[in-house]
Each structure stands twice: as C-alpha cells, then as structure tokens.
C-alpha cells in the first residue's frame, strides 16, 4: 500500500509540568526477583538521571536470600549493567546511586521480621533524611501478598509515621486468580490500607502509546465526534507475542492467556478506547469512566460462550526462521496441559455510544510476530460516486494505534491513483513516535513508579475495576475448564493463531487484521 509519510512536523516545544516526588524510602518485597532486577532498579536509575527524584531517598530490599547491603548493591550493579539505557555512567553517579540501597533478609510472613524492619526504617529515614514517607512494593509471588499486607498492618507500617506525609502499597499483577480470590485480596488490603494508599499496577497503562489514546481522543477536535456507532464499524485489539512462555512455566501453567493478559492489559486498553470523556483529568474521574465501561459490557450468556470466546495452545512451528517447541514440550509444562496460550473474545458494550459495535480482542504467545495495536475500522462508504468502481473495492478507513513496536498512529484512506484511468488506492498517513519525539520514551515502570511516589493513582486499577474485570473473565474460564480436552485447538507456532478464532469476526463477515 503506498504510504504518505506525514511525520508530525517538529513538535512544538511542549510546556510540560515535571512532577517531583517528596523524599521517600521504598521497601521492595521480592528484591532478588526478576522484576526488581529487570524493571524496578533500572527505573529508579533512569528517574534519578532524568532529575525526577528528590535528593533524599533510599531502598530496602527484602527477601529470604541471605545478603547484606553490599551483597544487594552487587545485585543492583549487575542489574544496571544489563538493563540501563545509557552506555556509560560516571563512577560518582554509580556511587551516589548504590549507597541508597540496603537489604534486610528474613521471612516476610512473620511478625518478627517487621519489628526488625520498623527499626531499620526509622534508622534509614534519619540517615537519608527522608522524613518517613514509605512505599511498600509487593513484587513477590502473589500467595505471599496477604501475609505481607497483614504484617504491615500489625506493625503499624500502614499508617504514615509522625512527620511523614504518606505510606503506600504497590501490588503487582496477578491480582487474584479469579473473582473470589481477587475479592478476598481486596478485602484483606482494605482492612489495612485505605484505597487512596493502594496502587494496583498494570504496566500497560504506563506505556506512552497507551496513555496517548486519551490525548488523541480528547485533545483533538476532529476524532471524538466520529467516535461512535454511527461511524465506527468495529474495533480490534491485538496483543500478539512471538515469544513462548520462556522460563515462566510455574506461573503460566496456573494462569493462561485469559488471566495473564485479558483480565488486566487488554481490558484496560478496551476501557481507554471505549470510555466517555471524563469531567476532568483527575485520577478518580478518569478511573470512574474506565469502571463504567466494564459495567456496560454485555454479559455473555453461558450457553453461548463458544460463540464469543475462543482459545488455543501453541504446538510446534517455526518462529523467526527457527523451529520451536510446542507448549506441552516447554520446560516445566505438563505433557497433557490444557492451559491456553491464545484467547480471543468478541465483546459488546450496551450504551448509546457503542450499541451494535463489535469489539474483537485477541492475545497469544508464539504468534507470527510481536505486535500490540488497536484498530478502529470505520463504516463503508454509503454510496459510490465513482462508477464503474464498485463500493466493495473501496476499503473502509482504518485508524491504527500501534502500541508496540514501531510506536505510532496510522490512518488509511482512499486516494486517486495517478493517471487517466479511474482507479484508487489505499494510502496511509503515519505518525511515528520515534521520528517525531526523538528518544523521549520512558519505560512504563519509570512512569508508574514516579506516579506512586507523587501519589497519582490515575494509571492504576481501582478495587471495583479489578473485581468487574474478573467478573467478565470468570464465566469463560469456568466454561473452558468444563470442556473436554478435544475442545482446545492447537495452533502452529509462528502462525496467526487457531483457525477457530477466525470465526469470531467471520460470523459477522469481518476478519482479523493479518499479523
Ligand atoms: C505480562 C505477562 O504482564 O506482560 C507476560 O505476564 C507478557 O506474559 C507481558 O509477556 C507482555 O508485556 P509487554 O510489555 O512485553 O507487551
């Protein structure tokens, strides 16, 4: 398709307010885990380098692994060597960063640990002159969350100490494994923390391209008037990955694509595309609109789930020219596993804006390529002016939000093909983040961590949102659990997913965009 590259002509210098956090201490539970090394430590480093952290702050790593401060600083150093963005860092910056890191080993489920932790925090608040603001980051396996939350409450660490402004808790996904467990966890959290202290993380909301959906919709006058059932035919949301489950079989076997990707990331994307304009740009007003979308999703009748939800599991295949194992042969996976690695849903929203518009949503591992995008497909032209062309030859306009990779937004429309003959082509107008905002793209965790520190909950899931999302997912999970093994389609690794998924848009004479 010919491409008219219209990169946003040198964006005007934005007047941006840079948020600044108060002095703080962070306790990371699960400090020797992957998330801490890959995401949290690099995020703190980049925030510091960007001048977004105050002068006074510290981190206490918490875990069962026996280590002292020096041992943990070695972990921090290794993490930065592997995952920091800047190639070289002066020794003085390393030193300044490393000396903020401390470690306290012990059993996070036992009261004894918290009396030691409290004393250590009082001492570090003084040493680093932070004034006592504390963030407790739960990056452990989820079965440890209730115990940690309980003990934080018992030790009084849930309340800001004298002179401090705040005490907050960050909870990583997965938040529960079904509605009942999410409700139980929410209940436990609410016994110890007020909702305005709780940050349920979904890293998709921290992605620049995801945040931009709201700016695109509400900072431009031309799109919102056509953002409804009168002009939009359907919307597709795709998060496809080419990787398999890597070393995460232990987690993934008990999760599957629906829990891992839909209950959180895909439904959050769905809410941003479908929500009504909020009354203002404050955290709770925006979160309220996201909640309203979930409340308007039409429940899928239990006897019709197969018409609205499809799953699959990857078999052997070729990815990137290399032969790869099927899911059941991955290390740590049961040879007769029924865990789905692909899921696709068709959803409807029952409200004035979206009545009749279908939303097709899919995600899977070991697909043809890694791509996350939202496609808004507009209606067909109502009447064809250009005889002898027929209207089916004219592709409807599409607007694609490319969330990753190659972040950008792309609009396709019809154009006359040069020459005396009457013919036309689909062309695209492309906006690319990389070309327009050279190099300015912080990682999701940087943004989210900073928001926890400054106290902005807009990009975090509220208690009711989490429970509503599980209420949508739960009946599908239960239905799949009851189905016989033969009901689980196997798709070839490196493909578009199971053929059965084509029926979701196929029943409506629509089709998925090719990956
Ligand atoms: C995580 C899931 O939440 O998101 C993973 O647990 C998935 O299974 C990952 O691979 C995808 O995130 P991203 O940012 O790479 O699209």
């Amino acid at each position: 398709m010919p491409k008219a590259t219209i990169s946003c002509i040198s964006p005007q210098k934005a007047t941006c307010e840079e948020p600044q956090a108060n002095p703080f201490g962070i306790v990371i539970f699960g400090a020797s885990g992957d998330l801490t090394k890959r995401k949290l430590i690099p995020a703190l480093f980049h925030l510091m380098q960007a001048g977004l952290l105050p002068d006074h702050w510290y981190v206490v790593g918490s875990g069962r692994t026996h280590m002292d401060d020096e041992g943990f600083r070695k972990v921090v150093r290794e993490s930065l060597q592997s995952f920091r963005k800047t190639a070289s860092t002066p020794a003085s910056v390393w030193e300044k960063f490393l000396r903020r890191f401390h470690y306290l080993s012990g059993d996070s489920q036992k009261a004894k640990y918290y009396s030691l932790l409290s004393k250590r925090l009082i001492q570090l608040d003084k040493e680093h002159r932070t004034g006592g603001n504390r963030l407790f980051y739960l990056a452990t396996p989820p079965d440890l969350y209730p115990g940690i939350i309980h003990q934080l409450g018992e030790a009084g660490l849930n309340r800001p100490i004298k002179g401090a402004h705040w005490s907050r808790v960050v909870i990583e996904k997965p938040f529960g494994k079904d509605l009942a467990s999410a409700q139980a966890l929410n209940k436990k959290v609410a016994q110890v923390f007020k909702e305005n202290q709780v940050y349920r993380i979904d890293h998709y909301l921290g992605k620049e391209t995801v945040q931009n959906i709201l700016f695109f919709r509400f900072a431009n006058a031309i799109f919102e008037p056509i953002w409804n059932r009168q002009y939009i035919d359907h919307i597709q949301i795709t998060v496809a990955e080419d990787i398999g489950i890597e070393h995460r079989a232990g987690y993934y076997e008990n999760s599957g694509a629906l829990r891992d990707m839909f209950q959180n990331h895909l439904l959050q994307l769905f809410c941003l595309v479908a929500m009504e304009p909020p009354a203002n740009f404050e955290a709770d007003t925006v979160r309220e609109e996201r909640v309203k979308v979930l409340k308007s999703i039409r429940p899928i009748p239990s006897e019709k789930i197969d018409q609205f939800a499809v799953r699959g599991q990857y078999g052997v295949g070729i990815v990137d020219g290399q032969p790869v194992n099927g899911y059941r042969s991955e290390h740590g996976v049961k040879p007769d596993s029924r865990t789905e690695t692909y899921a696709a849903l068709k959803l409807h929203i029952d409200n004035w804006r979206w009545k009749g518009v279908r939303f097709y949503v899919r995600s899977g591992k070991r697909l043809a390529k890694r791509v996350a995008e939202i496609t808004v497909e507009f209606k067909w032209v109502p009447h064809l002016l250009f005889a002898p062309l027929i209207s089916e030859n004219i592709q409807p306009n599409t607007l694609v939000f490319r969330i990753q990779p190659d972040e950008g937004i792309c609009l396709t429309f019809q154009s006359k093909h040069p020459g005396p003959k009457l013919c036309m082509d689909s062309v695209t107008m492309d906006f690319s983040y990389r070309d327009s905002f050279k190099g300015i793209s912080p990682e999701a965790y940087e943004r989210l961590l900073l928001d926890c520190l400054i106290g902005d909950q807009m990009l975090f899931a509220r208690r009711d949102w989490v429970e509503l999302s599980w209420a949508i997912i739960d009946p599908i999970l239960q239905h799949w659990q009851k189905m016989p093994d033969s009901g689980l389609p196997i798709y070839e690794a490196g493909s578009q997913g199971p053929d059965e998924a084509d029926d979701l848009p196929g029943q409506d004479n629509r089709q998925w965009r090719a990956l």
Side-chain angles (χ1 to χ4, degrees):
M1 181 186 300
K3 201 162 155 176
T5 303
I6 312 231
S7 48
C8 161
I9 307 157
S10 107
Q12 288 165 358
K13 198 140 178 59
T15 38
C16 310
E17 240 181 81
E18 294 217 323
Q20 184 91 48
N22 289 325
F24 62 88
I26 304 184
V27 179
I28 304 179
F29 292 94
S32 45
D34 234 31
L35 182 81
T36 309
K37 287 185 218 155
R38 283 174 178 271
K39 299 290 179 189
L40 303 182
I41 293 170
L44 282 166
F45 185 76
H46 296 136
L47 286 171
M48 181 184 83
Q49 284 208 307
L52 293 169
L53 295 187
D55 290 339
H56 303 288
W57 59 275
Y58 68 87
V59 173
V60 178
S62 158
R64 280 174 191 267
T65 315
H66 285 287
M67 248 192 289
D68 56 10
D69 287 359
E70 280 315 313
F72 189 43
R73 286 171 190 168
K74 212 167 141 240
V75 173
V76 173
R77 194 180 271 278
E78 283 161 7
S79 143
L80 290 183
Q81 268 152 358
S82 309
F83 301 110
R84 76 176 190 279
K85 286 188 270 191
T86 43
S88 68
T89 309
S92 57
V93 176
W94 276 109
E95 274 320 301
K96 196 170 148 210
F97 188 72
L98 287 175
R99 67 168 188 260
R100 299 172 189 277
F101 284 78
H102 306 269
Y103 193 80
L104 183 64
S105 61
D107 184 348
S108 68
Q109 304 296 293
K110 298 270 164 59
K112 205 169 112 201
Y113 181 74
Y114 292 81
S115 62
L116 295 176
L117 181 64
S118 298
K119 283 189 201 129
R120 189 75 186 274
L121 292 180
I122 291 171
Q123 179 203 335
L124 290 172
D125 289 342
K126 279 201 197 114
E127 190 180 317
H128 289 274
R129 294 192 282 143
T130 58
N133 295 321
R134 292 159 183 176
L135 184 70
F136 298 98
Y137 200 116
L138 275 52
T140 61
D143 53 326
L144 302 182
Y145 295 169
I148 298 174
I149 289 161
H150 177 76
Q151 296 297 353
L152 286 171
E154 291 296 294
L157 290 167
N158 54 337
R159 294 184 298 274
I161 58 158
K162 201 163 159 267
H165 299 289
W166 50 262
S167 163
R168 296 179 186 138
V169 64
V170 185
I171 305 174
E172 267 292 336
K173 77 172 266 266
F175 196 98
K177 60 179 177 28
D178 53 20
L179 177 58
S181 56
Q183 283 170 329
L185 181 56
N186 268 333
K187 200 165 155 209
K188 180 83 233 169
V189 172
Q191 283 162 3
V192 178
F193 290 97
K194 296 198 183 94
E195 183 62 24
N196 66 6
Q197 296 177 282
V198 184
Y199 292 72
R200 297 175 192 81
I201 257 194
D202 181 325
H203 79 280
Y204 262 64
L205 288 176
K207 290 180 190 276
E208 282 291 329
T209 39
V210 172
Q211 293 166 51
N212 193 42
I213 297 170
L214 288 192
F215 285 81
F216 180 89
R217 289 188 53 196
F218 302 128
N220 295 294
I222 60 172
F223 302 109
E224 203 47 28
I226 55 170
W227 213 253
N228 56 49
R229 67 193 158 87
Q230 272 179 295
Y231 296 94
I232 292 178
D233 179 79
H234 72 271
I235 293 182
Q236 297 189 16
I237 302 179
T238 299
V239 179
E241 296 181 280
D242 52 2
I243 54 169
I245 50 151
E246 301 183 299
H247 54 282
R248 298 166 73 218
Y251 154 74
Y252 203 85
E253 271 286 83
N254 296 312
S255 167
L258 208 55
R259 288 189 176 96
D260 186 43
M261 297 297 287
F262 280 70
Q263 178 272 324
N264 34 67
H265 311 324
L266 279 103
L267 283 179
Q268 288 287 8
L269 296 178
F270 181 87
C271 287
L272 292 173
V273 174
M275 67 187 244
E276 294 300 316
N280 55 39
F281 203 52
E282 281 169 17
D284 227 39
T285 334
V286 175
R287 299 205 301 173
E288 182 59 31
E289 292 303 335
R290 300 209 299 260
V291 162
K292 280 188 343 213
V293 175
L294 294 192
K295 284 186 181 163
S296 313
I297 291 183
R298 186 186 304 167
I300 304 175
S302 56
E303 69 289 359
K304 290 196 179 154
I305 289 181
D306 292 335
Q307 290 169 33
F308 291 85
V310 172
R311 62 187 174 146
Q313 187 187 72
Y314 63 82
V316 291
I318 309 252
V319 173
D320 253 347
Q322 298 296 320
V324 296
N325 279 339
Y327 178 71
R328 290 178 187 174
S329 313
E330 299 278 24
H331 185 69
V333 172
K334 289 197 288 298
D336 57 351
S337 171
R338 296 175 45 164
T339 303
E340 83 284 357
T341 59
Y342 175 101
L345 303 183
K346 175 160 72 170
L347 297 170
H348 288 95
I349 299 179
D350 283 335
N351 66 14
W352 277 58
R353 183 189 287 267
W354 295 118
K355 186 82 181 176
V357 177
R358 298 158 189 113
F359 289 77
Y360 305 108
V361 187
R362 63 180 164 164
S363 178
K365 296 208 181 274
R366 282 282 189 237
L367 293 173
K369 66 175 190 200
R370 174 177 181 252
V371 60
E373 64 180 28
I374 300 171
T375 303
V376 179
E377 189 164 314
F378 291 91
K379 294 205 163 164
W380 295 72
V381 285
H383 166 68
L384 194 73
L385 193 60
F386 308 105
L389 292 176
I390 45 168
S391 60
E392 284 81 65
N393 287 342
I394 300 190
Q395 290 306 307
N397 301 111
T398 55
L399 180 72
V400 181
F401 294 90
R402 284 194 311 264
I403 290 162
Q404 65 190 25
D406 191 18
E407 292 80 356
I409 298 173
C410 162
L411 178 71
T412 61
F413 56 94
Q414 297 300 315
S415 171
K416 180 182 176 306
H417 197 93
K421 279 201 200 141
L422 191 57
C423 59
M424 53 183 99
D425 259 332
S426 277
V427 294
T428 65
M429 271 203 291
D430 239 330
F431 150 67
S432 147
Y433 272 83
R434 207 181 24 233
D435 295 343
S436 299
F437 302 108
K438 302 204 167 35
I440 316 174
S441 207
E443 281 274 321
Y445 271 92
E446 293 170 32
R447 169 66 198 259
L448 295 174
L449 206 46
L450 187 62
D451 281 358
C452 297
L453 296 171
I454 60 178
D456 185 345
Q457 292 181 300
M458 186 181 299
L459 301 178
F460 296 83
R462 212 167 66 179
R463 176 180 182 164
D464 46 356
W465 192 96
V466 170
E467 293 184 12
L468 284 161
S469 64
W470 276 117
I472 293 161
I473 297 301
D474 249 17
I476 304 170
L477 286 171
Q478 284 162 16
H479 175 76
W480 284 349
Q481 210 159 21
K482 280 188 247 141
M483 274 169 70
D485 284 1
S486 56
L488 174 65
I490 304 293
Y491 60 94
E492 197 184 326
S495 70
Q496 302 281 315
D499 293 343
E500 289 76 351
D502 293 345
D503 295 342
L504 284 187
Q507 290 155 358
D508 312 318
N509 293 324
R510 306 289 182 268
Q511 55 186 27
W512 294 111
R513 265 168 71 84
L515 294 175

